[in-house]
């Protein structure tokens, strides 16, 4: 028996295609970088099936955007936000379908292949460019919708209880797209963030994106014990014996590496104000590969997340060694060695 949402999902995708894709900043940047420009003549040529870049560019244009993912989430979970947000305790979710089976993904893919719907690329001040979508593109495109990712009832209840409808939909879609292992310590870390990080923070969206990326980088054997009321962070930390299994330790190392890179970047900038580039290069100094504003923002995010989830700052720890968070750049020692050589005279 077909899944009750399959026809609605198919209709939503067809409507999405009929509305067309726009020349967004990402599309324009890709076209300028890879295709040689984003004017109508170039893109019309690229969207011809005989062009060598046609398949890649067509898949790029068909990559699911937020409006489509939000609409599909609403189809799969009808009324979930309203029903759960109305009650802080949260009702059972058995009547809300949470999974979309593989056979239905295959059925949806076949329906789209048979329909062979065209798509439009809207160009400012120009007629839209119409292009046909080859059958073989649909299998990967449907998989990118992440229809088969299932969030646990506990995670879904937590999101709906703490966030209004539109925000909850965006959070669910972000989590589904993160390729996370929704089990054990990873789910506990996700729940700890959802429960304790302030939902009213204007930077909530980039902070959630950072946290999901951080969780995806952790080793499989990570261990996390949510902080209990009345327990001290120092006592919890003292009881930890394996640093590599401690998620806070990994966040701490990342914080220190970025902090060190920011410090080196600032020192390099100060040197540029005092010496010529030739002299700095002769000293063996290396130009920093960090954007200072982005680094500061990432550090602020890590500090806020660490306090919310772990109850302690992500900053420097007395028993951390330099080797724990990066190697020493010999260029940092240039001024020190020069001073020591003068003292020896």
């Amino acid at each position: 028996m077909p899944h009750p949402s399959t026809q609605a999902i198919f209709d939503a995708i067809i409507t999405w295609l009929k509305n067309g894709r726009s020349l967004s900043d990402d599309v324009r940047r890709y076209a300028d970088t890879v295709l040689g420009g984003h004017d109508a003549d170039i893109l019309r040529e690229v969207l011809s099936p005989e062009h060598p870049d046609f398949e890649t560019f067509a898949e790029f244009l068909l990559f699911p955007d937020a409006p489509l993912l939000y609409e599909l989430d609403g189809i799969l979970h009808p009324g979930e936000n309203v029903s759960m947000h109305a009650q802080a305790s949260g009702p059972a979710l058995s009547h809300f379908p949470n999974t979309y089976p593989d056979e239905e993904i295959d059925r949806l893919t076949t329906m789209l292949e048979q329909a062979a719907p065209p798509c439009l690329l809207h160009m400012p001040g120009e007629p839209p460019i119409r292009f046909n979508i080859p059958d073989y593109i649909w299998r990967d495109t449907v998989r990118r919708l992440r229809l088969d990712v299932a969030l646990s009832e506990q995670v879904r209840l937590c999101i709906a209880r703490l966030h209004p409808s539109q925000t909850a939909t965006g959070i669910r879609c972000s989590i589904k797209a993160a390729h996370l292992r929704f089990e054990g310590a990873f789910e506990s870390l996700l729940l700890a963030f959802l429960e304790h990080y302030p939902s009213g923070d204007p930077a909530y969206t980039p902070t959630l994106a950072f946290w999901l990326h951080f969780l995806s980088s952790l080793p499989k054997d990570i261990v996390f014990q949510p902080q209990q009321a009345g327990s001290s962070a120092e006592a919890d930390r003292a009881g930890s014996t394996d640093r590599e299994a401690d998620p806070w330790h990994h966040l701490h190392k990342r914080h220190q590496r970025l902090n060190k890179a920011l410090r080196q970047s600032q020192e390099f900038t100060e040197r540029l104000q005092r010496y010529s580039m030739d002299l700095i290069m002769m000293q063996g100094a290396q130009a920093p590969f960090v954007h200072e504003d982005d680094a500061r923002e990432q550090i602020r995010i890590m500090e806020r997340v660490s306090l919310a989830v772990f109850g302690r700052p992500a900053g420097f720890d007395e028993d951390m060694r330099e080797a724990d968070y990066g190697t020493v750049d010999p260029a940092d020692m240039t001024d020190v060695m020069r001073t020591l050589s003068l003292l020896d005279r």
Side-chain angles (χ1 to χ4, degrees):
M1 180 178 179
H3 193 281
S5 300
T6 299
Q7 185 62 47
I9 292 173
F10 171 81
D11 293 340
I13 294 174
I14 295 298
T15 301
W16 180 69
L17 292 173
K18 288 180 177 178
N19 291 336
R21 316 304 300 125
S22 63
L23 199 63
S24 64
D25 291 340
D26 289 339
V27 173
R28 188 179 296 109
R29 191 178 301 112
Y30 176 88
D32 291 340
T33 304
V34 179
L35 306 178
H38 62 268
D39 59 73
D41 292 337
I42 292 177
L43 298 186
R44 189 175 291 106
E45 181 180 353
V46 172
L47 288 173
S48 171
E50 293 78 21
H51 195 280
D53 291 319
F54 167 71
E55 180 178 346
T56 303
F57 189 48
E59 286 192 349
F60 183 77
L61 291 176
L62 293 175
F63 202 90
D65 57 9
L68 176 62
L69 295 177
Y70 287 16
E71 183 174 1
L72 298 185
D73 182 84
I75 293 172
L76 288 174
H77 310 294
E80 179 173 330
N81 292 328
V82 176
S83 298
M84 290 192 295
H85 192 64
Q87 301 181 29
S89 58
L93 297 179
S94 58
H95 57 293
F96 293 124
N98 191 34
T99 58
Y100 194 75
D102 287 342
E103 56 267 24
E104 287 302 312
I105 291 178
D106 293 337
R107 188 193 305 275
L108 176 63
T109 302
T110 301
M111 292 170 64
L112 290 167
E113 290 172 346
Q114 293 175 349
C119 186
L120 295 176
L121 174 61
H122 296 290
M123 303 291 296
E126 298 276 352
I129 301 174
R130 183 180 183 274
F131 63 97
N132 294 319
I133 304 170
D135 294 349
Y136 54 83
I137 287 182
W138 279 115
R139 186 157 299 277
D140 288 338
T141 301
V142 171
R143 287 292 177 183
R144 294 188 184 109
L145 298 175
R146 311 296 293 165
L147 299 172
D148 56 335
V149 177
L151 305 184
S152 71
E153 180 173 327
Q154 192 174 5
V155 169
R156 295 162 65 201
L157 277 171
C158 182
I159 294 172
R161 175 167 52 85
L162 297 173
H163 297 276
S165 175
Q166 187 67 11
T167 306
T169 300
I171 292 173
R172 281 198 303 271
C173 291
S174 297
I175 295 173
K176 289 178 181 180
H179 302 280
L180 279 176
R181 299 181 291 273
F182 299 104
E183 56 187 16
F186 293 91
E187 182 170 272
S188 297
L189 285 163
L190 176 59
L191 283 168
F193 176 88
L194 296 173
E195 288 281 2
H196 300 297
Y197 193 84
S199 58
D201 183 4
Y204 188 92
T205 298
T207 304
L208 174 63
F210 164 82
W211 187 243
L212 293 173
H213 175 73
F214 172 73
L215 293 183
S216 67
S217 69
L218 291 176
K220 294 181 179 180
D221 58 350
I222 207 73
V223 177
F224 175 65
Q225 294 294 333
Q227 219 179 337
Q228 302 296 324
S231 66
S232 67
E234 291 77 9
D236 293 340
R237 187 172 168 187
S240 177
T241 57
D242 186 1
R243 285 188 172 184
E244 291 307 313
D246 180 7
W248 177 86
H249 178 71
H250 290 271
L251 182 66
H252 175 79
K253 288 197 299 184
R254 181 175 294 205
H255 180 279
Q256 291 300 326
R257 290 191 186 104
L258 193 56
N259 209 5
K260 180 182 177 181
L262 179 59
R263 185 176 66 251
Q264 291 176 338
S265 177
Q266 294 168 339
E267 291 172 354
F268 190 87
T269 301
E270 292 174 1
R271 286 188 184 186
L272 280 176
Q273 297 173 352
R274 296 162 53 193
Y275 309 111
S276 68
M277 178 62 76
D278 292 339
L279 180 58
I280 293 175
M281 294 296 103
M282 289 175 61
Q283 293 174 345
Q286 296 180 347
F289 295 95
V290 62
H291 190 284
E292 292 189 11
D293 291 339
D294 291 343
R296 292 190 188 95
E297 180 59 27
Q298 287 290 302
I299 289 172
R300 284 194 291 267
I301 286 176
M302 282 186 268
E303 290 169 347
R304 292 196 299 264
V305 169
S306 185
L307 289 172
V309 175
F310 302 110
R312 54 180 182 259
F316 187 74
D317 182 24
E318 292 180 358
D319 60 354
M320 287 293 291
R321 301 168 300 162
E322 182 84 2
D324 287 329
Y325 58 88
T327 58
V328 178
D329 184 355
D332 291 345
M333 301 300 294
T334 302
D335 292 336
V336 175
M337 297 303 294
R338 185 187 299 111
T339 302
L340 290 176
S341 64
L342 291 174
L343 291 175
D344 289 339
R345 293 179 182 177

